[in-house]
Amino acid sequence: MPFLQFKSLIPNIYSIFSTREKFSVGELRRLHGILLKPLNKFDVSSRTEYIEALRSIAEIIIWGDQHDPEIVEYFLDQNILGYFGLILEDPGNRKGDVAIQILQTLSILIQNIGEKETIYCLFSNNQINKIASMRFDFEDDEVLGLYVNLLKTISLKLDEHTVQFFLVHPSSKQGRLRFPLYSEALKFGTSKDGMVRAAVRNLTLNAFTIPSISLRSYFGEEETRDFFDHVSCELRDTYKQLDQCLQSKSSNGAQVEQLLSYIDDEFTYFNDVWSTNIPMLRSVVLRYFWKSCILDIILAGLVKKRGSSMYHISQLAVLCILETFFSSIQNRSLQTLLASILLGGDSVGIADEILVELKGDSDFEKDMLSVKDLVVSTNTEQAQAVRDVLLSSLKHRDPHIVNGAVRLVTSIAANSSISEEVLSTIGLVFVERGDEEVPTRQSTPSPNHHLQRRTPSPTMPADRVDSYPMRHSEIFESIASASFGDRFGEIVEAMFSIVQVPNICPLTLMAATWSLAHMAAPDAHILKTYCDSNVLQDMMHIHCDLLLQLVSTGQWADGIPMMMKFYWKKHRQMYQKKTFASMRSCVLSWEFSNFLQRSGKVAQEKKRDLKVDLKMCLLTVMSLVSTMQLRQLVNQGHIDEEFPFHGPMETSWVKLKDKEPKEGDLVNPSGTTPCHMVNQSNTMCDLLLKLETSSNPDDAWYDKVVAVVLLDDSSNSLTEPQKVVAVAPAASAQPTNDKKSATLMHVAVRPPLSTVLKAITLSPSGADFSTLDHCISSENWSVSFVSTEDCLLTHNLLKQVIEDLRERSTKYIIDIKSTL
């Protein structure tokens, strides 16, 4: 074997022996000796040696727990854990690198030890409890995070037996049980650090699940209630921040999403606490979450009940908060109770059911009765006020309010925890009515009237629905006058009215269509009774007119046909999902509505920003597609799988990219015009300008790619293919002649269509504006020609191509409009 190869094996051989020595009692004994030495605070090498010894000890113990019991035996016999405590006796070692390493070592050690006997021995000598009760440098974020993480890691190992090592029992009958591990953690429950808050909440949930009677009594004491009171206050403060953010013109989607994420986390935590089935903790949830953070918000933000501390929270913020409730809270009882309060169900009866179910704890009964009194007060004093406000929100002229209301109704309708019986009672499910006599609207409804189904109005026979000339509001009035007041019809009529809200977000239209489809299933044809197709036709014509304006003055005429087919497929796929509500769709709806409100008159402007023009195209196409699909649902009970009008056969950005010329391609130089352009290094380049069209003769106009390409003319050959050095889509070229030089032409350049399709394809729930902002950029070419004639001919030819593309796009939209 050559010497060099033998030499390369030496480190590997050494590592084998060093590995064997590292995980041994001898190595642990050596590290123990380092801990026995006095720690010199001012000696850097001494501190480094200590820190490395602490880290290595954890690795050895974890390895020994699985492979060598003698290692663990030595660690316990020599009480090495006690030396950790001795080091921390010095307050100076409870901060900085020493504290960080000890906290890390203990967390890793406890988390990775699998043998129960080893855990018992670690916990039994009170050293862990002692360290957990020490006050570290909590001003240091890293130390605080590691400390709370240690407490959480310990809690994961606790059961009815090991928890006894962390309880301090009273010495007399008058004394109280103490749980220092739990108490210390609660102090950081409202920390600004999200990781710390999450660790504290995980610790409390771990503690709540320990099957100990004494602990369950302990959790009902003031310490726990104070903690939840603080959490509740922080949550209500976040409500205020969300309200301010939603009302501010300078806020962005990231801020809204962050606040909604915090609210979602807190709601999920309260849901987990309720799920522990401990009456005392459920009493806490009722008092500090259900009453203070939910019911008070509803009365304050929706029906404007005076005297509430949350009176100034806006209706929009309340709608977002309530939507988050239904996506976060999984408990059937709480969801059913809130849905009934919002939409006029039997909330008092449901409150009684919860009270009976959990009867037995005096504190819980007192809090539950308090909540029930509030529910009864709401029903008697406010009558149908909450439901009426929610229905009026669906008909509001502010698109933000409508967005929030539609998403809230959608989140309730999609909730699998709420029974069909309750959904039918509040009007979110269409239930077949029996053959009994139909009461008039003025009649007193029967106790189970919400489970009965509406019969067709005598003023509108079923066979005349398609040709019925009345507007949708008149149709609903005729139905309502012939029945006792159809709750299903009220919601459908309100949901349908959103198509006429100016600047409505396309995602809201999609959510409304999703809700209507699921509410009317399996007989979606029932929607004809409540929805006037003529209204939808009018709105589709409005969207088409806006698209025509965008085509005539915009820079994305070539992409509209492909966008329409793409969104038809994508929207239809979303209707197949079990749910439509999500935090991301909430934020996108808010962003889209803000953009539409700011750009309300942008379609009339002759010159627009490239990104604004694209966003307007996308949102208008989305709105048109959503309205078309809603009309299909109303008229035929389902949505066609394929786009119903002639259009592009391919919408894949990958396939489109293959057709588009790009830099580096070789192109035949025939039909080119010599020109010059200054490159990035300010050097004049000899180029050839050409209009390049996709070569496939079978492609329809909307599948063809027409681009302005600049070819490298350094070879001075007009017979051999030349390399493409720059590309500009012809549809947005917008050529202009220079005012000072007759041989100079300026050409606007935008990204190719495949780049846009890629962005919207890979973005969730439609076009993510932030993604588009990053991928869309514009520039301007200044091309100099040899003669004035060449410049003029090229300019006119390019103008003719652009006009032809726009004419074809215009005809495409007009053809669609004429068939709607």
Side-chain angles (χ1 to χ4, degrees):
M1 178 184 294
F3 174 73
L4 290 177
Q5 293 184 15
F6 175 78
K7 184 177 180 181
S8 66
L9 291 177
I10 294 177
N12 295 330
I13 296 172
Y14 176 79
S15 66
I16 293 173
F17 287 106
S18 63
T19 300
R20 290 178 180 175
E21 292 177 359
K22 178 178 180 180
F23 298 108
S24 64
V25 174
E27 177 65 8
L28 182 59
R29 185 180 294 110
R30 185 185 73 80
L31 297 173
H32 181 203
I34 294 175
L35 298 184
L36 293 175
K37 299 177 184 178
L39 177 59
N40 189 339
K41 298 180 184 179
F42 306 103
D43 187 349
V44 177
S45 61
S46 174
R47 293 180 68 87
T48 303
E49 187 180 32
Y50 253 79
I51 292 170
E52 183 60 27
L54 292 168
R55 186 189 62 79
S56 300
I57 286 173
E59 295 179 359
I60 295 173
I61 301 305
I62 293 170
W63 188 90
D65 181 60
Q66 301 175 11
H67 302 93
D68 189 351
E70 291 185 6
I71 291 178
V72 177
E73 185 177 346
Y74 180 86
F75 177 80
L76 296 174
D77 288 345
Q78 297 300 316
N79 192 23
I80 295 180
L81 190 62
Y83 288 96
F84 289 13
L86 287 175
I87 294 172
L88 294 174
E89 288 287 343
D90 184 351
N93 291 331
R94 295 180 210 159
K95 59 183 178 181
D97 49 3
V98 173
I100 289 172
Q101 188 58 59
I102 289 179
L103 293 171
Q104 282 182 335
T105 298
L106 289 174
S107 294
I108 294 172
L109 199 62
I110 295 170
Q111 181 177 355
N112 291 279
I113 287 180
E115 292 295 328
K116 287 187 177 181
E117 292 79 4
T118 307
I119 289 293
Y120 269 76
C121 294
L122 281 177
F123 289 171
S124 60
N125 61 11
N126 202 42
Q127 291 297 333
I128 298 290
N129 209 5
K130 182 180 178 181
I131 293 174
S133 300
M134 290 182 176
R135 179 158 187 84
F136 288 81
D137 179 18
F138 297 130
E139 298 297 323
D140 186 329
D141 292 340
E142 186 175 6
V143 172
L144 174 60
L146 290 170
Y147 171 77
V148 174
N149 183 66
L150 171 62
L151 301 187
K152 183 200 72 174
T153 303
I154 295 171
S155 71
L156 291 169
K157 298 291 184 177
L158 297 183
D159 55 29
E160 66 269 30
H161 305 295
T162 53
V163 73
Q164 301 302 322
F165 299 125
F166 295 89
L167 299 179
V168 180
H169 293 276
S171 56
S172 63
K173 292 183 179 181
Q174 287 76 26
R176 297 170 55 192
L177 178 71
R178 292 193 299 113
F179 189 6
L181 181 78
Y182 175 83
S183 302
E184 293 298 321
L186 293 190
K187 296 177 182 178
F188 307 102
T190 55
S191 169
K192 294 181 179 180
D193 189 326
M195 298 297 292
V196 172
R197 289 197 309 270
V200 172
R201 281 148 181 73
N202 285 333
L203 182 148
T204 59
L205 292 173
N206 294 334
F208 295 156
T209 57
I210 299 173
S212 169
I213 296 176
S214 59
L215 268 184
R216 294 195 171 192
S217 300
Y218 170 78
F219 292 142
E221 294 181 2
E222 186 177 357
E223 184 178 48
T224 299
R225 293 182 179 272
D226 286 344
F227 166 69
F228 280 102
D229 187 24
H230 289 307
V231 172
S232 177
C233 290
E234 289 284 335
L235 185 55
R236 292 196 298 272
D237 288 342
T238 307
Y239 290 172
K240 298 176 185 177
Q241 296 175 34
L242 175 65
D243 185 23
Q244 295 169 358
C245 194
L246 291 172
Q247 305 301 326
S248 172
K249 295 182 180 180
S250 61
S251 300
N252 56 48
Q255 293 172 296
V256 175
E257 189 166 8
Q258 183 181 9
L259 292 169
L260 286 174
S261 178
Y262 175 84
I263 293 171
D264 178 71
D265 289 343
E266 297 300 87
F267 281 10
T268 302
Y269 174 63
F270 278 110
N271 177 77
D272 293 339
V273 174
W274 181 274
S275 300
T276 58
N277 294 325
I278 301 174
M280 289 184 177
L281 292 176
R282 289 193 167 187
S283 174
V284 168
V285 172
L286 288 173
R287 179 179 299 178
Y288 297 109
F289 170 64
W290 177 251
K291 184 177 181 298
S292 300
C293 297
I294 300 299
L295 288 186
D296 284 350
I297 298 302
I298 297 172
L299 298 179
L302 294 183
V303 297
K304 309 298 183 186
K305 185 175 181 180
R306 300 286 178 178
S308 170
S309 59
M310 299 297 292
Y311 179 73
H312 54 280
I313 295 295
S314 71
Q315 185 176 352
L316 175 60
V318 173
L319 293 170
C320 292
I321 292 166
L322 294 177
E323 179 195 358
T324 306
F325 176 94
F326 284 101
S327 63
S328 306
I329 302 298
Q330 303 301 317
N331 181 266
R332 181 190 63 83
S333 300
L334 294 182
Q335 287 185 333
T336 303
L337 182 56
L338 182 56
S340 299
I341 293 173
L342 287 172
L343 291 169
D346 183 17
S347 52
V348 175
I350 297 170
D352 277 333
E353 291 179 8
I354 298 175
L355 186 60
V356 171
E357 177 187 348
L358 299 171
K359 193 172 184 179
D361 179 79
S362 57
D363 286 338
F364 172 78
E365 289 186 34
K366 180 176 65 175
D367 287 327
M368 188 65 230
L369 286 171
S370 173
V371 171
K372 182 187 172 184
D373 289 342
L374 186 59
V375 171
V376 173
S377 173
T378 303
N379 282 0
T380 56
E381 295 177 9
Q382 306 295 334
Q384 289 294 310
V386 177
R387 178 184 175 90
D388 291 343
V389 170
L390 189 54
L391 290 176
S392 66
S393 299
L394 292 169
K395 304 176 184 180
H396 208 282
R397 305 310 292 172
D398 183 347
H400 287 101
I401 298 294
V402 177
N403 289 339
V406 170
R407 289 196 310 271
L408 174 57
V409 172
T410 302
S411 64
I412 299 174
N415 201 299
S416 59
S417 298
I418 303 175
S419 69
E420 184 171 326
E421 179 182 2
V422 173
L423 290 176
S424 64
T425 302
I426 61 180
L428 289 182
V429 169
F430 187 75
V431 179
E432 190 68 47
R433 175 182 289 164
D435 297 330
E436 70 280 358
E437 182 181 353
V438 181
T440 63
R441 192 173 191 182
Q442 290 75 23
S443 302
T444 302
S446 62
N448 296 321
H449 71 280
H450 299 313
L451 301 184
Q452 302 167 350
R453 192 166 183 172
R454 169 210 49 76
T455 57
S457 168
T459 61
M460 188 178 64
D463 58 354
R464 293 179 54 199
V465 169
D466 287 329
S467 59
Y468 201 68
M470 298 169 65
R471 309 304 287 174
H472 74 284
S473 59
E474 298 170 329
I475 291 175
F476 177 70
E477 289 173 3
S478 66
I479 296 169
S481 64
S483 67
F484 53 79
D486 191 341
R487 289 195 161 200
F488 175 82
E490 285 182 333
I491 294 180
V492 170
E493 188 269 345
M495 293 282 278
F496 182 73
S497 68
I498 72 168
V499 297
Q500 300 178 85
V501 176
N503 296 328
I504 191 66
C505 170
L507 293 183
T508 305
L509 289 170
M510 294 168 60
T513 305
W514 185 97
S515 294
L516 291 171
H518 284 70
M519 287 165 58
D523 185 13
H525 287 284
I526 191 62
L527 295 176
K528 285 185 180 181
T529 309
Y530 301 96
C531 304
D532 182 6
S533 185
N534 292 329
V535 176
L536 293 171
Q537 180 178 342
D538 292 344
M539 296 313 298
M540 288 187 290
H541 286 178
I542 291 174
H543 295 316
C544 286
D545 290 341
L546 181 55
L547 273 181
L548 290 173
Q549 295 175 3
L550 291 167
V551 166
S552 64
T553 59
Q555 305 177 63
W556 298 94
D558 56 332
I560 287 178
M562 293 187 181
M563 292 174 190
M564 292 185 74
K565 184 174 181 181
F566 168 77
Y567 279 118
W568 184 275
K569 182 177 181 180
K570 187 161 188 176
H571 289 194
R572 189 179 183 279
Q573 289 175 343
M574 296 183 73
Y575 296 136
Q576 312 304 315
K577 297 181 178 180
K578 292 183 178 180
T579 182
F580 201 92
S582 70
M583 187 184 305
R584 185 61 190 152
S585 67
C586 171
V587 176
L588 278 173
S589 297
W590 180 77
E591 287 183 314
F592 288 177
S593 292
N594 278 344
F595 174 79
L596 286 168
Q597 285 185 321
R598 290 194 304 267
S599 308
K601 298 181 179 180
V602 73
Q604 284 73 36
E605 298 177 8
K606 292 184 177 181
K607 292 184 179 180
R608 295 193 299 273
D609 177 81
L610 184 68
K611 296 179 182 178
V612 172
D613 191 67
L614 172 60
K615 292 174 182 179
M616 286 297 297
C617 278
L618 291 174
L619 291 178
T620 307
V621 167
M622 291 169 68
S623 296
L624 176 58
V625 167
S626 297
T627 311
M628 290 168 64
Q629 292 184 339
L630 177 56
R631 190 177 73 158
Q632 278 199 353
L633 181 66
V634 170
N635 286 348
Q636 60 191 41
H638 69 274
I639 298 172
D640 291 342
E641 184 174 351
E642 296 294 334
F643 187 61
F645 302 99
H646 63 278
M649 301 304 294
E650 303 290 351
T651 55
S652 167
W653 64 270
V654 177
K655 294 180 180 179
L656 180 62
K657 188 177 181 180
D658 293 337
K659 294 182 179 182
E660 292 174 333
K662 48 187 175 294
E663 293 183 16
D665 287 352
L666 295 178
V667 172
N668 191 319
S670 61
T672 57
T673 304
C675 61
H676 307 281
M677 190 170 71
V678 177
N679 60 19
Q680 294 179 349
S681 58
N682 292 323
T683 303
M684 185 70 74
C685 302
D686 293 331
L687 301 171
L688 297 171
L689 186 145
K690 180 181 181 180
L691 282 175
E692 181 72 0
T693 306
S694 55
S695 57
N696 189 349
D698 296 329
D699 281 348
W701 72 268
Y702 35 71
D703 282 326
K704 288 185 180 297
V705 175
V706 184
V708 185
V709 296
L710 295 176
L711 307 180
D712 185 0
D713 191 31
S714 57
S715 64
N716 294 319
S717 173
L718 295 178
T719 58
E720 298 180 359
Q722 302 297 320
K723 182 183 295 186
V724 175
V725 296
V727 181
S732 64
Q734 295 182 335
T736 55
N737 290 326
D738 191 84
K739 295 180 179 179
K740 296 182 179 180
S741 174
T743 61
L744 187 62
M745 183 179 73
H746 303 286
V747 180
V749 182
R750 60 140 230 238
L753 194 58
S754 62
T755 302
V756 178
L757 290 178
K758 178 181 179 181
I760 64 177
T761 300
L762 302 180
S763 297
S765 303
D768 186 336
F769 280 12
S770 60
T771 302
L772 290 176
D773 285 338
H774 286 96
C775 74
I776 303 301
S777 59
S778 61
E779 57 180 293
N780 194 67
W781 291 348
S782 295
V783 184
S784 175
F785 293 88
V786 177
S787 66
T788 304
E789 291 76 11
D790 286 349
C791 182
L792 186 60
L793 286 172
T794 305
H795 176 273
N796 292 339
L797 178 61
L798 190 51
K799 276 283 190 181
Q800 181 180 346
V801 171
I802 295 172
E803 288 303 318
D804 182 60
L805 285 173
R806 290 183 176 176
E807 284 180 10
R808 292 175 182 270
S809 294
T810 299
K811 185 178 183 302
Y812 175 77
I813 297 170
I814 291 175
D815 288 344
I816 291 178
K817 181 180 177 181
S818 65
T819 58
L820 294 175

